[in-house]
């Protein structure tokens, strides 16, 4: 059952989401060739704790770390480890925090140094599809409208849209109803209402849509070992329109990126 949130609850959720956003921005300053993903995990863990919150991923279903870090062909749920990041890699960093009893859950795929143009375009289109989905998060529309917008934008470029993994509702729990697939039919699924809070997270592959689930119970990779991109925002509906709870502004500030992509979805409340 979908648990619609009050404005007061959404304010608390925004605080949680923005802490995750600030964590990703802090990490953006540290991500470079030669560092390990385990080092990034420690930085994130300490940053979240220092801000009075708890890492949402740590211990969730037995997950042993505070970040899911998934390089290159890893789609999601990668374990931080002692391997060094290399020039030309891409790195999906998925972070969660629990603050004031509510979960923030937010992800960005980083370019490590000079990334080849084919992979760079994948990241561009995948992030564009996230905002295409957010545009459809309007009162009276349906979850399938979000899904269809993401799928159509990516498939027209020839990319594989992962179907085994989906976005989700968000609140006091990290995974609530409804599921938010990155594929689907317009006009299908649950009706979108004011107070809806969801994590929209396209997972888009350069090649095949098919993925492999590894024996560790977490790691997911593309079946053809080509790169995968993952971007995620926490979004709610206020006065019939989509409003971002999370932001990439801290990442962009760290990386020197100028963007107005979030402007249509910003609201002070």
């Amino acid at each position: 059952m979908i648990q619609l949130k009050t404005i007061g609850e959404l304010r608390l959720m925004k605080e949680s989401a923005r802490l995750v956003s600030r964590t990703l921005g802090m990490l953006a300053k540290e991500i470079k060739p030669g560092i390990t993903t385990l080092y990034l995990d420690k930085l994130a863990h300490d940053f979240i704790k220092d801000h009075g919150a708890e890492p949402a991923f740590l211990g969730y279903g037995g997950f042993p770390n505070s970040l899911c870090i998934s390089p290159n062909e890893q789609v999601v749920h990668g374990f931080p480890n002692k391997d060094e990041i290399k020039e030309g890699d891409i790195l999906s960093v998925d972070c969660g925090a629990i603050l004031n009893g509510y979960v923030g859950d937010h992800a960005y795929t980083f370019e490590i140094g000079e990334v080849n143009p084919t992979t760079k375009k994948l990241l561009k289109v995948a992030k564009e599809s996230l905002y295409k989905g957010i545009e459809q998060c309007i009162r009276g529309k349906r979850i399938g409208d979000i899904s269809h917008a993401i799928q159509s934008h990516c498939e027209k470029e020839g990319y594989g849209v992962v179907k085994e993994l989906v976005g989700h509702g968000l609140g006091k729990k990290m995974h609530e109803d409804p599921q938010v697939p990155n594929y689907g039919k317009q006009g299908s699924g649950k009706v979108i209402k004011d107070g809806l809070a969801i994590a929209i997270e396209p997972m888009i592959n350069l090649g095949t849509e098919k993925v492999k689930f590894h024996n560790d119970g977490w790691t997911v990779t593309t079946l053809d070992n080509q790169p995968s991109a993952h971007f995620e925002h926490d979004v709610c509906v206020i006065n019939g329109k989509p409003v971002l709870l999370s932001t990439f502004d801290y990442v962009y500030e760290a990386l020197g990126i100028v963007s107005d992509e979030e402007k249509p979805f910003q609201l002070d409340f």
Side-chain angles (χ1 to χ4, degrees):
M1 186 175 71
I2 297 175
Q3 299 178 1
L4 300 176
K5 310 301 190 294
T6 66
I7 289 294
E9 289 177 305
L10 292 174
R11 288 193 184 108
L12 293 174
M13 291 185 67
K14 185 176 182 180
E15 290 182 17
S16 303
R18 292 300 166 103
L19 175 56
V20 178
S21 300
R22 291 199 298 275
T23 306
L24 291 176
M26 178 274 295
L27 294 172
K29 299 174 184 177
E30 302 289 336
I31 294 175
K32 55 183 177 289
I35 62 106
T36 70
T37 53
L38 204 56
Y39 168 72
L40 297 176
D41 185 67
K42 179 68 164 60
L43 287 179
H45 177 275
D46 292 349
F47 188 86
I48 291 168
K49 296 281 283 188
D50 289 347
H51 285 79
E54 294 295 326
F57 297 172
L58 183 61
Y60 183 86
F63 191 78
N65 298 97
S66 297
L67 295 175
C68 295
I69 303 186
S70 309
N72 302 319
E73 76 280 0
Q74 290 188 19
V75 181
V76 286
H77 303 162
F79 293 116
N81 57 43
K82 294 181 180 179
D83 294 341
E84 293 185 357
I85 299 169
K86 301 187 296 295
E87 179 83 14
D89 284 346
I90 60 171
L91 199 69
S92 165
V93 180
D94 194 354
C95 181
I98 305 169
L99 181 65
N100 299 320
Y102 288 90
V103 178
D105 179 16
H106 184 29
Y108 191 88
T109 300
F110 293 90
E111 301 178 20
I112 313 303
E114 289 298 319
V115 172
N116 73 65
T118 301
T119 303
K120 190 181 285 283
K121 183 182 176 185
L122 168 68
L123 268 60
K124 176 178 180 291
V125 173
K127 185 153 67 69
E128 287 172 352
S129 79
L130 171 61
Y131 292 102
K132 295 290 185 182
I134 293 169
E135 285 174 357
Q136 299 300 313
C137 197
I138 294 171
R139 183 179 61 212
K141 284 183 172 284
R142 292 179 178 268
I143 296 297
D145 295 315
I146 299 171
S147 307
H148 177 78
I150 293 169
Q151 180 180 21
S152 59
H153 186 72
C154 294
E155 287 187 347
K156 74 180 181 183
E157 297 290 345
Y159 298 135
V161 177
V162 175
K163 295 183 169 61
E164 292 87 346
L165 302 155
V166 299
H168 50 89
L170 198 64
K172 290 185 175 180
K173 296 180 180 179
M174 185 153 55
H175 295 106
E176 297 185 356
D177 288 335
Q179 290 192 346
V180 186
N182 296 307
Y183 67 97
K185 296 181 180 180
Q186 288 178 298
S188 66
K190 300 289 181 67
V191 176
I192 295 169
K193 299 179 181 180
D194 281 338
L196 179 71
I198 55 177
I200 301 176
E201 49 177 324
M203 289 157 274
I204 310 301
N205 300 342
L206 182 63
T208 180
E209 67 186 39
K210 297 184 183 300
V211 297
K212 176 182 178 180
F213 289 83
H214 289 244
N215 291 334
D216 60 24
W218 289 99
T219 307
V220 183
T221 59
T222 58
L223 194 61
D224 58 7
N225 290 319
Q226 293 201 71
S228 183
H230 175 214
F231 292 92
E232 179 179 17
H233 265 314
D234 298 340
V235 185
C236 67
V237 182
I238 298 176
N239 296 328
K241 296 180 179 180
V243 176
L244 282 176
L245 298 169
S246 54
T247 180
F248 289 145
D249 282 352
Y250 299 103
V251 170
Y252 291 165
E253 181 180 356
L255 299 180
I257 295 171
V258 177
S259 172
D260 61 357
E261 65 196 8
E262 296 182 5
K263 189 173 181 181
F265 314 113
Q266 292 174 337
L267 176 71
D268 290 328
F269 68 96

